[in-house]
Amino acid sequence: MFDEPFATGRSFIHRIDPRHRIVIAVVYSFVVALTDRFAPLTGALIVSLALAALARLRPAAVWRRLKVVFGFLALIWIVLPLTTGTPFLARIGPMGISTAGVLLAARISLKTTAILIEFTALVATMPLATLGHALGQIKMPEKLVYLVLMTYRYIHLLENEYQRTVRAIRLRGFLPGTNMHTYKTYAYLIGMLFVRSVARAERIEWAMRCRGFRGRFYHLVDFVPTPATWIFSAMMGIIIFWIAILEWGPHLW
Amino acid sequence: MTKPIIQLENISFAFPGRQPILNGLDLTLNWGDRAGLIAPNGSGKTTLFHLVMGLIKPTSGIIRIFGKRILAEKDFRVVRRRIGLLFQDSDDQLFSPTVLDDVAFGPLNLGKNKEEAIAIAEETLTSLNLTDIRNRITFKLSGGEKRLVALATVLAMKPDALLLDEPVTGLDRDTRHRIESILRELDISYIMISHNMDFLSQLTTRIFSLENGKITVDDTAALHPHFHLHSHGTHPHEHK
């Protein structure tokens, strides 16, 4: 379920301190999301692609991830040009293709692609365990961090349990259809998964208490930023600043 | 002189709305005891362990650990430092992202600092020959590795006694032998639930059973090894 195709590697990006990467990724995403002009947006897309190249991401694997989002973007390209209103770029029979709608769809597409590629390059290039530890060290709320880590740990087990049950149902000749029997079977399946998760959660809590757990978690890993990390962070700071200038600079002078 | 570690007196327990599963049970584990518990499924073996650890409360009866009567949660916290429970399903026990994180979790809870906890974890992993998997992700381990790491997480707390809930069920022969030799070399008292007669006879000095919610000891039926002869087939086979 969680294959982490980018998590391991020896690229320049992989060796940057995870905490720096997370902070940069978040700031960069916000700036890009708030940008509206095409010059900074195109710039951001190029920067994201450069980051992906620096992280030596396999283009095919990145494309597989992008495809999911491109499905949503296709929907936007269909809806926005037809619903945004005059002036029209062109007319197809009774319908008009709105200029503002096309521009908006283009902006959204550029932002989405740039942010997604950048997140893949900076954040998906660390194992989830590292992400959790790094989040803990940049003082994110402990409970949220452990929610992430525990989800990662146990969703896999839940999926196994789900697959096992589905297999057992199929082996007994179940064929889903549009009928009460199918709905009832699915309801049992989901209900059983909930019940098992609760039982599992209780046993995990017991096991933790048996090892002296008293509501406090500890992080073992110490990240030490290398000189390369500082150089990279400084560079990214300049780039983010440059994107911001391209967007908001003209308003300032 | 034998000093008791665990003393259960007249313990009863019932799950809500069900017949009592333990009914006036008495049990003592002394220092140096290596006891085996063999009984049918559903006879309350696991429940018994959970009662000792204070995870569930008995409907009646007295629990004494190291001679002291244990009543409240805060008493059980002390108990959990000194008695380690190995769960039947290692997936319940291993929740941290990496093996090292998980083994260090107990020592950290006992108030060790980061360096000390890592040192204890490393030392425990080394003693169990697990150093090469120290940075692996826990859920990606094999069943045998999971059980060994789970054992390491318990041993890292340096307990005086262990409660082992089916430590070798579902494991292959090699892993079983590894666990066997680990337990043999440890200087520790334990109660072990198992359905594997061979394993029990190798590793325990006493064997008891659970019947009608009470401990029974059958002195006439002692486990013993015996030799036998048969032609050596080509299929892998096992001797119990």
Side-chain angles (χ1 to χ4, degrees), chain B residues 34-228:
Chain B
R34 297 178 166 225
L37 180 52
I38 190 162
N41 294 327
S43 56
K45 305 183 294 289
T46 301
T47 306
L48 179 65
F49 279 6
H50 289 172
L51 279 166
V52 173
M53 300 301 283
L55 300 171
I56 48 180
K57 301 263 168 285
T59 3
S60 65
I62 296 171
I63 301 175
R64 278 181 224 278
I65 312 277
F66 303 108
K68 185 173 178 286
R69 183 159 180 197
I70 304 295
L71 285 167
E73 173 70 14
K74 87 173 171 3
D75 303 327
F76 278 111
R77 284 206 189 114
V78 182
V79 169
R80 293 182 198 131
R81 287 168 178 234
R82 300 183 63 184
I83 299 179
L85 170 60
L86 182 73
F87 278 63
Q88 204 169 338
D89 184 350
S90 302
D91 274 318
D92 294 338
Q93 207 142 11
L94 306 177
F95 72 93
S96 303
T98 70
V99 169
L100 190 70
D101 282 328
D102 220 309
V103 181
F105 176 75
L108 284 169
N109 288 330
L110 298 187
K112 303 275 188 256
N113 68 33
K114 210 187 268 187
E115 287 71 32
E116 290 168 335
I118 292 178
I120 293 171
E122 298 273 13
E123 184 189 310
T124 313
L125 289 172
T126 309
S127 71
L128 301 189
N129 259 326
L130 294 170
T131 27
D132 45 329
I133 58 168
R134 60 193 286 278
N135 289 321
R136 294 263 302 278
I137 304 294
T138 45
F139 80 74
K140 291 181 179 163
L141 299 173
S142 75
E145 288 167 335
K146 273 183 192 164
R147 194 68 56 86
L148 286 163
V149 173
L151 185 59
T153 66
V154 174
L155 292 179
M157 315 246 323
K158 305 200 189 306
D160 296 311
L162 291 177
L163 302 176
L164 306 160
D165 196 344
E166 306 204 15
V168 293
T169 304
L171 300 185
D172 63 31
R173 205 188 172 102
D174 283 348
T175 317
R176 205 170 67 215
H177 286 322
R178 266 178 91 172
I179 291 186
E180 203 175 300
S181 65
I182 290 165
L183 290 177
R184 202 192 309 275
E185 277 158 32
L186 283 174
D187 181 24
I188 204 165
S189 315
Y190 52 74
I191 305 178
M192 170 158 66
I193 296 173
S194 180
H195 296 291
N196 188 326
M197 288 287 188
D198 180 41
F199 191 72
L200 283 179
S201 74
Q202 296 283 326
L203 287 167
T204 58
T205 49
R206 294 164 55 196
I207 290 190
F208 42 81
S209 183
L210 256 175
E211 235 171 83
N212 304 322
K214 285 189 176 64
I215 294 289
T216 54
V217 187
D218 189 350
D219 289 325
T220 56
L223 283 172
H224 64 281
H226 66 267
F227 299 100
H228 70 285

Side-chain angles (χ1 to χ4, degrees), chain A:
Chain A
M1 184 170 222
F2 280 118
D3 52 333
E4 299 172 284
F6 310 113
T8 48
R10 317 202 109 263
S11 78
F12 175 73
I13 299 279
H14 283 91
R15 279 178 280 137
I16 300 291
D17 188 324
R19 294 170 304 174
H20 284 240
R21 280 194 264 158
I22 292 168
V23 173
I24 290 169
V26 170
V27 175
Y28 180 92
S29 304
F30 266 100
V31 171
V32 173
L34 293 172
T35 302
D36 267 334
R37 290 166 187 257
F38 279 96
L41 281 177
T42 319
L45 184 60
I46 293 169
V47 170
S48 295
L49 288 170
L51 287 174
L54 257 182
R56 304 230 186 91
L57 304 183
R58 279 181 304 111
V62 178
W63 172 244
R64 253 203 305 284
R65 293 212 162 173
L66 284 178
K67 262 198 311 201
V68 182
V69 178
F70 283 177
F72 289 104
L73 288 180
L75 207 68
I76 284 173
W77 276 99
I78 294 167
V79 173
L80 280 184
L82 294 180
T83 55
T84 313
T86 51
F88 291 140
L89 195 66
R91 283 182 166 281
I92 311 170
M95 292 183 296
I97 308 282
S98 151
T99 315
V102 168
L103 289 178
L104 192 56
R107 272 192 201 108
I108 294 174
S109 308
L110 277 172
K111 284 183 198 187
T112 312
T113 319
I115 293 175
L116 197 77
I117 294 179
E118 166 258 355
F119 243 89
T120 313
L122 291 181
V123 179
T125 43
M126 60 184 93
L128 220 128
T130 309
L131 176 65
H133 287 312
L135 286 172
Q137 291 206 1
I138 54 177
K139 303 279 178 269
M140 294 308 286
E142 209 168 58
K143 288 199 171 104
L144 289 182
V145 171
Y146 273 86
L147 207 57
V148 170
L149 288 176
M150 298 280 232
T151 308
Y152 172 64
R153 169 68 180 85
Y154 286 105
I155 204 154
H156 183 78
L157 257 166
L158 283 178
E159 202 220 354
N160 277 353
E161 254 160 4
Y162 168 76
Q163 297 291 0
R164 257 209 315 274
T165 318
V166 167
R167 222 173 297 139
I169 291 175
R170 285 224 190 94
L171 283 176
R172 287 197 284 157
F174 174 72
L175 266 180
T178 314
N179 51 41
M180 213 48 205
H181 175 61
T182 302
Y183 301 146
K184 223 160 121 181
T185 308
Y186 280 134
Y188 286 160
L189 170 64
I190 292 165
M192 196 49 88
L193 271 182
F194 274 125
V195 171
R196 283 198 199 147
S197 319
V198 170
R200 168 82 65 184
E202 185 181 53
R203 291 200 305 273
I204 294 163
E205 202 240 322
W206 283 359
M208 288 168 76
R209 270 165 58 197
C210 281
R211 289 201 279 150
F213 179 66
R214 293 178 70 174
R216 195 166 147 48
F217 289 104
Y218 306 85
H219 292 285
L220 279 187
V221 196
D222 267 326
F223 298 111
V224 184
T226 55
T229 294
W230 288 112
I231 294 169
F232 176 76
S233 301
M235 292 274 301
M236 286 308 293
I238 293 169
I239 288 171
I240 291 168
F241 188 67
W242 168 70
I243 291 172
I245 290 288
L246 280 180
E247 172 69 19
W248 294 289
H251 297 297
L252 297 179
W253 55 76

